[in-house]
Amino acid sequence: MTRFILGTKAGMTQIVDRGVATPVTVIRVEPNVVIQVKSKEKDGYEAVQVGTGTKRRVAKPQRGHFGDLGTFRFVREFRATKGGDKELAKGDTLDASIFTPGDTVKVAGISKGKGFQGGVKRHGFSGMPESHGHHHVRKHIGSIGQRFPQHTLKGKRMAGHMGAERVTMRGLKVLTVDAEQGLLAVKGSVPGQKGTLLEVVGQ
């Protein structure tokens, strides 16, 4: 069965074991409720739709879709693997206990927005020299064109909007699981700031 759950980023800390400090990200997991189980015969593909969190105001179409399951702040859909999610049914609840220490997961979320940034920060350009007569050109990106075709080519790496995009971190190891408190600790960093919605999927 494919294992997946929705959570929010609680922050980063470290776990010290035998004198070795390991950086971890703590993910807060509230109970996830299965809203809909899609089948290939009826919907054309197999997937499971889950919701978590609470919301005061919900649109009428959503109220009809949720039924008596409640109101959810976050709703996401996870594709099923071969014969994987047949065991789940509408109304089932998922929590952090579906993962165990040592599992490998991938975590997806929206990265921090950094606004409009230059080429040095956005793409890691080396910038211009800082000596021999150069003045205030440290962060310049240099030439952006050529003689032919006499215009900047599409896709040229330049300054622009940075961050606030979907990022997936793969191969993260689950170090600790606290099902009672609804907490997962995974090794390394995950996208987003505190409170960012995260999709955790077992690999």
Side-chain angles (χ1 to χ4, degrees):
M1 172 181 171
T2 305
R3 292 172 299 169
F4 48 80
I5 205 162
L6 295 176
T8 55
K9 184 175 181 178
M12 291 197 69
T13 182
Q14 60 183 12
I15 295 177
V16 180
D17 183 20
R18 299 177 185 178
V20 178
T22 303
V24 298
T25 301
V26 179
I27 301 175
R28 186 177 304 280
V29 178
E30 296 183 6
N32 285 214
V33 180
V34 177
I35 300 172
Q36 182 183 11
V37 178
K38 295 189 176 182
S39 63
K40 196 168 186 179
E41 296 76 18
K42 184 178 179 181
D43 304 287
Y45 65 100
E46 294 182 353
V48 177
Q49 193 178 94
V50 298
T52 185
T54 57
K55 194 175 182 181
R56 287 184 59 190
R57 296 183 179 182
V58 179
K60 191 173 182 180
Q62 291 177 313
R63 289 202 304 268
H65 182 58
F66 296 157
D68 56 356
L69 297 176
T71 58
F72 304 101
R73 181 184 178 192
F74 302 114
V75 177
R76 292 294 184 273
E77 189 173 282
F78 296 92
R79 296 297 291 264
T81 56
K82 278 191 175 180
D85 303 291
K86 299 292 185 181
E87 305 171 11
L88 292 176
K90 183 176 180 179
D92 288 351
T93 302
L94 307 174
D95 57 23
S97 62
I98 65 173
F99 295 106
T100 57
D103 288 346
T104 302
V105 297
K106 63 179 180 179
V107 180
I110 304 299
S111 63
K112 290 182 180 180
K114 298 176 175 63
F116 191 96
Q117 298 297 332
V120 172
K121 182 172 182 177
R122 190 183 186 205
H123 300 294
F125 291 168
S126 60
M128 296 291 188
E130 294 181 319
S131 60
H132 300 290
H134 294 85
H135 183 61
H136 292 172
V137 295
R138 176 70 182 91
K139 294 295 186 79
H140 289 196
I141 63 174
S143 174
I144 61 173
Q146 55 283 315
R147 288 187 176 183
F148 180 84
Q150 298 179 347
H151 65 83
T152 304
L153 298 179
K154 186 176 181 180
K156 177 69 175 176
R157 293 186 301 167
M158 298 173 63
H161 183 266
M162 182 179 177
E165 58 186 3
R166 182 180 173 87
V167 177
T168 302
M169 303 294 291
R170 304 177 187 274
L172 301 180
K173 186 177 180 181
V174 177
L175 296 185
T176 60
V177 178
D178 189 342
E180 293 184 0
Q181 299 292 329
L183 299 175
L184 287 175
V186 298
K187 183 179 180 181
S189 61
V190 301
Q193 57 189 355
K194 292 181 181 179
T196 298
L197 177 67
L198 299 174
E199 301 171 18
V200 185
V201 181
Q203 289 186 292

